[in-house]
Amino acid sequence: MLADSTYFYRVRASNQGGESAYSNISSAKVECNLVVLVTNNSGSNTICSGKASLLVVNTNVTDATFQWKQNGINIPNANLPIFTASETGEYNCQVIAGDCRKSSTTPLVVIVQSSFQVFIRTIDTTTKEMQASVSGAQGYQWYRDYQSIDGATNARYTPTMDGTYFVVVSNNGCSSTSNLINVAPNTTTGIANAEFASTTGTKFLMIYSATFALLLHRQKVR
């Protein structure tokens, strides 16, 4: 008799006087005592694109073979008690031991989230305020010189020091790192008078900054 199969039977009695009529039809089902439980050892049924969930089948027999299925269809060469799922779908495993074939009663659902990219740009040239291209995400963390900035957890950030800045955006269990922006020190500009070659009576009006000086106007001293 095969496991997980139902059999129908009827009986009749016979003796020297002849045979009786058949009894009513009865049925009997041969139960398979396999225990099959499929778990997701990754801790979440949602994964990021490019990653995989580790699925594990647990059973009460040691001498068994395995066949993993995706959406009810056999997965080629998926015959180990573990399987790494990298596509969206319903996953189950059939355990075969002798005449017994049994799958877990509830398949596991794996959902693959599409990857996303994030960029940052300067939106205020005076304050150097920067903004991430992804809005409404679950998490933001800004970095300066590859060190996280305490409290910098919004889509926008205004730097207070020079350095290299970027942001890591997290959403639905996935994360993406932005491009880098280098913030230079703020320069102080102004106008100053500087006198050179006083023997010729020439006076120069100059614009200066912390890094350069530019000749703007020249006039004779009367």
Side-chain angles (χ1 to χ4, degrees):
M1 301 178 73
L2 298 177
D4 285 333
S5 299
T6 300
Y7 293 86
F8 299 90
Y9 64 92
R10 60 182 181 173
V11 296
R12 68 178 178 179
S14 63
N15 56 25
Q16 294 179 350
E19 296 179 338
S20 68
Y22 281 103
S23 68
N24 295 331
I25 296 176
S26 298
S27 63
K29 184 177 181 180
V30 180
E31 296 285 352
C32 183
N33 64 351
L34 280 177
V35 176
V36 179
L37 177 64
V38 176
T39 59
N40 186 342
N41 280 21
S42 300
S44 174
N45 68 326
T46 301
I47 59 174
C48 302
S49 178
K51 297 184 179 181
S53 287
L54 178 62
L55 309 183
V56 179
V57 60
N58 299 282
T59 184
N60 60 337
V61 295
T62 56
D63 186 16
T65 57
F66 307 91
Q67 177 59 64
W68 286 91
K69 301 173 182 287
Q70 180 185 7
N71 301 326
I73 300 174
N74 289 349
I75 303 173
N77 303 316
N79 307 114
L80 297 175
I82 61 173
F83 180 74
T84 52
S86 58
E87 298 178 356
T88 296
E90 289 186 345
Y91 290 86
N92 209 332
C93 185
Q94 184 182 61
V95 178
I96 305 168
D99 292 330
C100 285
R101 295 172 178 263
K102 192 171 184 179
S103 301
S104 61
T105 55
T106 304
L108 289 178
V109 176
V110 174
I111 301 173
V112 179
Q113 293 281 357
S114 299
S115 59
F116 65 94
Q117 291 183 315
V118 59
F119 302 94
I120 57 174
R121 63 186 180 92
T122 301
I123 60 174
D124 190 320
T125 56
T126 301
T127 64
K128 308 296 185 182
E129 183 182 14
M130 296 173 288
Q131 182 180 36
S133 59
V134 177
S135 61
Q138 294 173 338
Y140 299 87
Q141 179 59 64
W142 289 86
Y143 290 79
R144 173 185 173 270
D145 293 339
Y146 304 95
Q147 300 296 320
S148 61
I149 304 171
D150 291 340
T153 55
N154 295 315
R156 294 185 178 188
Y157 180 72
T158 301
T160 58
M161 303 174 65
D162 62 302
T164 300
Y165 289 84
F166 65 93
V167 67
V168 176
V169 179
S170 303
N171 202 40
N172 294 323
C174 302
S175 63
S176 181
T177 302
S178 74
N179 55 303
L180 304 177
I181 287 185
N182 292 316
V183 176
N186 289 327
T187 58
T188 302
T189 59
I191 298 177
N193 292 327
E195 293 185 7
F196 299 96
S198 58
T199 56
T200 64
T202 301
K203 184 178 182 181
F204 297 92
L205 181 64
M206 305 185 71
I207 289 180
Y208 72 90
S209 72
T211 56
F212 67 91
L214 175 66
L215 178 64
L216 180 66
H217 181 67
R218 183 180 68 181
Q219 66 180 21
K220 287 285 186 179
V221 178
R222 297 184 183 277

